[in-house]
Amino acid sequence: MESKRVAMVSGANRGIGSAIARQLLRDGWRLSLGMRNPEFPDWATDQDSIHLFPYQATNVTEKEWVDTVQSAYGRIDAVIPNAGVIVAKSVIEADDAALETMLDINVKAPRRLVKEAWPSLIKSGNGRVAIIASLSGKRVASSRTGLYSMSKYAVVALAHAIRHEGWPHGIRCTAICPGLVETDMGRGLVPERDKELTHPADVARLVSLAMDLRNSSSVSEIYVNCNDGELY
């Protein structure tokens, strides 16, 4: 049991976060799931390998979460900041509060979480960070997503900064940049049911790949286009 790697996944209640957790459990990881409403998912057959923590990205509880994971498992090998929010407004119509909300949840919280787990990731020798960013962090697809893109550009920059800082310590960081994904958030932007969006399980498989690369390899960004999206 002690040899199993431990991953922290935020926003694990549903969507991409739930899919990532399910994939990593299948891969043999032990998990700490940061959830707004902590409860074991229906796929969690091995509950001894799953730790739940009541996490909301705006509450600044990252240190407490890291401390409880250390107490429960004695190690942290990977951090996967997935919790995110979108305010679908243009940069002109939105107020400062909307931008601050997205920066708090999409950028500041992931930075705090990685920072608190940093000593444990260094100790691992093979620490991994996979930040769920977005193709909106690579291009501004529309006026309605412009404000969201501002936060996601910052997320991609955060991933690169972590990659540079962690390199000498064996820590590797990848920004996972999907387009529209078949989640509540994705469908909120594209309600037409005939539009085929990326499945969360495919994003999870890419996270799994990033987790298992050797230290001699570093993949900085992975782009995922859905069939009906603008290709990047």
Side-chain angles (χ1 to χ4, degrees):
M1 175 67 75
E2 284 70 20
S3 63
K4 282 190 174 184
R5 293 175 295 174
V6 174
M8 301 175 66
V9 184
S10 71
N13 274 103
R14 56 184 181 173
I16 295 174
S18 177
I20 291 170
R22 186 173 188 173
Q23 177 68 52
L24 293 183
L25 184 67
R26 189 182 299 123
D27 292 344
W29 289 72
R30 286 180 292 173
L31 305 172
S32 180
L33 306 182
M35 297 174 157
R36 186 174 299 176
N37 301 301
E39 60 182 5
F40 285 103
D42 55 10
W43 47 260
T45 55
D46 182 10
Q47 295 187 0
D48 290 339
S49 293
I50 298 177
H51 166 266
L52 304 180
F53 183 81
Y55 179 72
Q56 293 193 56
T58 55
N59 287 353
V60 196
T61 55
E62 289 80 14
K63 185 181 187 305
E64 181 184 354
W65 185 12
V66 167
D67 288 345
T68 61
V69 177
Q70 281 287 5
S71 295
Y73 293 139
R75 62 188 290 176
I76 298 169
D77 301 274
V79 176
I80 304 166
N82 164 75
V85 66
I86 182 172
V87 178
K89 292 184 177 181
S90 77
V91 294
I92 302 303
E93 66 179 315
D95 57 19
D96 281 356
L99 177 57
E100 286 300 324
T101 294
M102 284 194 289
L103 291 176
D104 283 344
I105 296 173
N106 297 349
V107 185
K108 295 179 183 179
R111 189 192 73 86
R112 289 195 303 265
L113 185 57
V114 173
K115 179 178 180 178
E116 294 298 339
W118 199 250
S120 299
L121 294 174
I122 291 176
K123 185 177 180 180
S124 167
N126 297 279
R128 296 291 179 265
V129 179
I131 296 183
I132 308 305
S134 171
L135 282 182
S136 290
K138 304 304 296 181
R139 46 85 172 120
V140 180
S142 68
S143 171
R144 188 166 170 242
T145 60
L147 199 72
Y148 179 66
S149 288
M150 289 177 64
S151 71
K152 288 301 183 178
Y153 267 77
V155 171
V156 172
L158 172 63
H160 280 278
I162 293 169
R163 188 168 63 96
H164 282 288
E165 182 69 15
W167 185 265
H169 305 294
I171 298 171
R172 303 291 175 260
C173 182
T174 302
I176 310 292
C177 301
L180 292 166
V181 181
E182 187 62 66
T183 62
D184 292 342
M185 181 185 292
R187 277 298 167 194
L189 295 171
V190 183
E192 299 90 343
R193 300 309 304 181
D194 62 329
K195 296 293 186 182
E196 185 178 1
L197 308 187
T198 296
H199 196 282
D202 290 328
V203 179
R205 289 168 64 193
L206 295 172
V207 171
S208 174
L209 172 65
M211 296 292 100
D212 284 339
L213 291 175
R214 295 180 176 87
N215 281 1
S216 55
S217 299
S218 177
V219 178
S220 59
E221 300 175 358
I222 297 177
Y223 313 132
V224 189
N225 289 273
C226 67
N227 288 348
D228 290 299
E230 178 185 353
L231 295 180
Y232 176 83

